[in-house]
Amino acid sequence: TAMPATPMTVVVVMGESLTPNHMSLFGYNRKTTPFLDSLSSSPDFYFGKGYSAANATRSTMPMFYTLQYHPLDESRLRKQDTNLFLLAKRHGFTTYYLSAQNSNCLNGVNLGAIDVMVTSDRQSEVFEEDKDEGLLRLVREIPVGGKRFIVVHQRNVHLPYQENTEHRPDFQRFPTQDLPFAEASTNAYDNAVLYADYLYRELLAELREKSAGPLYVFFTSDHGENLGENGHWGHDQL
């Protein structure tokens, strides 16, 4: 597809273990996504449910970052000729991959077309204290102007949910202490979703302020999460 040479910013926010079943945007009875809820009536905001390519990050990522029609098209995964970063480079974008997770989450993904790559195992100091808010700091450092393709991979909505958000007491809305496992886990997960919604608000504000030309932002997730459905917890069960 032909692309204009003028400035443009395309951002993919890869969530982690995020299920629509616990997002108020999709009807959950707790107000866990107040910011996204506030956008729901905007003509520039579209939302819906989707299917992940797999039930674990390292399985999902090669298929997400390689455009393919059939999910079992292994030849496409080997060739990587429809790799999103590669396609972005061909159209003149500077490419960024900023992740609060380890670089091995991209095993099976061709990294040759990524210009700037920051992950938690390469620059742990970015995420040690601020957790996923380190991603906001990295986005602020990206130069304004030109064509930018930015992938931001979260961590906070992942087991152990509590540890990933406890540095922000203001998002501990639902109690987690001295409760049965199911209730404590659900509450910790919902707190993490609430924190993620805050990150979306801050990220979008930053991008709107410092983007030249059109801005397209996609929020998605690598896979969903079980929170007691059919007796399952987490995301490794088929």
Side-chain angles (χ1 to χ4, degrees):
T1 301
M3 297 287 291
T6 51
M8 176 187 297
T9 301
V10 179
V11 181
V12 175
V13 180
M14 181 59 67
E16 170 61 53
S17 306
L18 186 61
T19 171
N21 296 340
H22 282 250
M23 300 172 69
S24 51
L25 179 67
F26 292 97
Y28 185 49
N29 59 4
R30 285 177 166 177
K31 197 76 170 175
T32 53
T33 54
F35 172 67
L36 294 181
D37 297 348
S38 71
L39 299 178
S40 60
S41 60
S42 168
D44 295 325
F45 182 75
Y46 305 88
F47 63 98
K49 298 180 181 180
Y51 291 94
S52 60
N55 66 344
T57 305
R58 295 182 195 178
S59 301
T60 301
M61 293 298 90
M63 289 185 275
F64 182 89
Y65 292 120
T66 302
L67 300 181
Q68 58 191 81
Y69 177 73
H70 197 284
L72 300 182
D73 185 359
E74 294 182 14
S75 64
R76 187 66 63 202
L77 288 173
R78 286 194 296 269
K79 292 178 181 176
Q80 295 268 319
D81 54 351
T82 54
N83 174 287
L84 282 180
F85 298 104
L86 177 62
L87 296 177
K89 287 293 292 180
R90 288 177 178 171
H91 287 297
F93 285 80
T94 302
T95 56
Y96 299 84
Y97 179 78
L98 313 174
S99 177
Q101 306 224 41
N102 290 342
S103 54
N104 61 14
C105 287
L106 287 184
N107 286 351
V109 179
N110 187 340
L111 310 181
I114 300 178
D115 295 311
V116 178
M117 182 171 175
V118 179
T119 59
S120 63
D121 53 334
R122 295 184 178 189
Q123 294 189 32
S124 58
E125 68 279 2
V126 175
F127 306 102
E128 283 176 350
E129 292 187 10
D130 294 335
K131 307 295 184 180
D132 277 27
E133 284 168 86
L135 295 169
L136 296 175
R137 187 176 6 148
L138 293 173
V139 170
R140 293 187 185 105
E141 295 173 358
I142 296 176
V144 179
K147 298 170 73 171
R148 309 180 298 172
F149 177 61
I150 306 167
V151 173
V152 177
H153 196 151
Q154 297 176 268
R155 169 72 184 178
N156 71 287
V157 190
H158 191 288
L159 284 167
Y161 318 120
Q162 183 69 19
E163 289 186 13
N164 296 325
T165 62
E166 62 187 3
H167 68 295
R168 292 298 301 266
D170 43 331
F171 292 105
Q172 306 306 308
R173 178 176 301 177
F174 308 108
T176 58
Q177 300 297 318
D178 302 320
L179 293 173
F181 170 81
E183 186 176 358
S185 297
T186 299
N187 287 353
Y189 183 90
D190 289 349
N191 287 335
V193 176
L194 188 67
Y195 176 54
D197 184 74
Y198 158 77
L199 293 172
Y200 299 153
R201 185 190 74 190
E202 295 299 301
L203 176 63
L204 193 55
E206 179 71 20
L207 292 168
R208 282 173 166 167
E209 180 181 349
K210 296 182 180 179
S211 292
L215 168 65
Y216 300 91
V217 184
F218 301 87
F219 299 104
T220 186
S221 186
D222 51 0
H223 50 73
E225 189 83 337
N226 285 310
L227 289 133
E229 295 90 345
N230 300 312
H232 294 304
W233 295 85
H235 53 261
D236 287 331
Q237 301 90 353
L238 291 173

